[in-house]
Amino acid sequence: MKIYADRAPTAARQIVTDVLVAAWVYAAIRAAMWLHDLVQKLAIPGQRLEGASTGLADGLSDVGSKIGRVPLVGDELTAPFNGAADAARSMADAGQQQQSIVDDLSLALSLGLLVFPLGLVLFVWLPLRVRWIRRAGAAASLRAAPAGRDLLALRALATQPLRKLTKIDPDVAQAWRRGDEDAVAALAALELKGLGLRG
């Protein structure tokens, strides 16, 4: 009769799954950051337009103010320069608006890219992981209780695959009813092994 007290493949699967989930989240975040940076490049023309238009507006305003000092005709000559400066400022505003739109778009696309992978983690993997932690914690506390081994053995009889049960004893249920210590210990260890715990 074999006592199943070694660490189960379930524990290894849990560790591998945790690592894969962490890698999945990391990859999703990196992809979202890459997409954000890629979309942000669309803002470069807007930045250039804003910078050039602001410089042009400042230059035209400066020229207009100098021409305004010319006696008699100065006021009349400043109007075209002031109008051109206002037009340049409007172009600078358009460049700023384009950058703002690109910022909003890059943020929305990045968050949209994160919704699916993080949703899987939060709504699929995390509840399963929490349920496993609770079950493993309850089984670990039962292991230390006086009648805990018997309860774990009973649970193993109810939930473990028949092929595993018959490896313990061909008539494992009868052995458990008789109170066979080896059978009870093997069944309890099998249940603990199924949760990735030591028997």
Side-chain angles (χ1 to χ4, degrees):
M1 189 178 305
K2 184 177 178 182
I3 306 293
Y4 290 89
D6 56 324
R7 181 164 292 277
T10 300
R13 279 196 302 270
Q14 287 289 349
I15 292 169
V16 169
T17 302
D18 291 348
V19 169
L20 289 175
V21 166
W24 170 267
V25 170
Y26 175 77
I29 291 171
R30 292 293 299 168
M33 290 170 62
W34 173 81
L35 181 62
H36 182 273
D37 293 343
L38 183 67
V39 175
Q40 278 292 327
K41 290 180 181 177
L42 296 174
I44 292 173
Q47 293 167 358
R48 290 182 180 162
L49 178 63
E50 182 187 9
S53 299
T54 301
L56 180 61
D58 292 343
L60 289 169
S61 293
D62 189 39
V63 169
S65 65
K66 288 179 181 175
I67 289 178
R69 294 185 212 138
V70 175
L72 301 175
V73 293
D75 290 339
E76 294 175 12
L77 293 176
T78 58
F81 288 99
N82 289 338
D86 290 342
R89 285 190 191 94
S90 296
M91 289 172 55
D93 289 342
Q96 180 61 46
Q97 288 173 358
Q98 191 261 355
Q99 292 173 69
S100 178
I101 290 169
V102 168
D103 285 343
D104 293 343
L105 180 65
S106 64
L107 181 62
L109 289 175
S110 300
L111 292 176
L113 184 64
L114 284 175
V115 166
F116 177 71
L118 294 185
L120 281 178
V121 170
L122 290 174
F123 299 113
V124 177
W125 173 80
L126 189 59
L128 292 173
R129 190 69 168 109
V130 168
R131 187 171 63 186
W132 176 82
I133 289 169
R134 287 180 179 162
R135 287 177 56 210
S141 63
L142 269 178
R143 178 176 52 188
R149 272 194 340 163
D150 205 35
L151 285 172
L152 289 169
L154 180 59
R155 180 160 174 81
L157 280 172
T159 61
Q160 293 296 322
L162 290 175
R163 61 182 172 74
K164 290 185 178 181
L165 294 174
T166 54
K167 283 183 183 177
I168 294 171
D169 191 306
D171 194 7
V172 69
Q174 186 60 37
W176 176 78
R177 278 193 209 98
R178 284 194 315 263
D180 184 326
E181 286 296 321
D182 289 339
V184 170
L187 286 167
L190 181 63
E191 182 62 20
L192 290 168
K193 180 181 178 183
L195 292 169
L197 303 172
R198 292 188 183 279

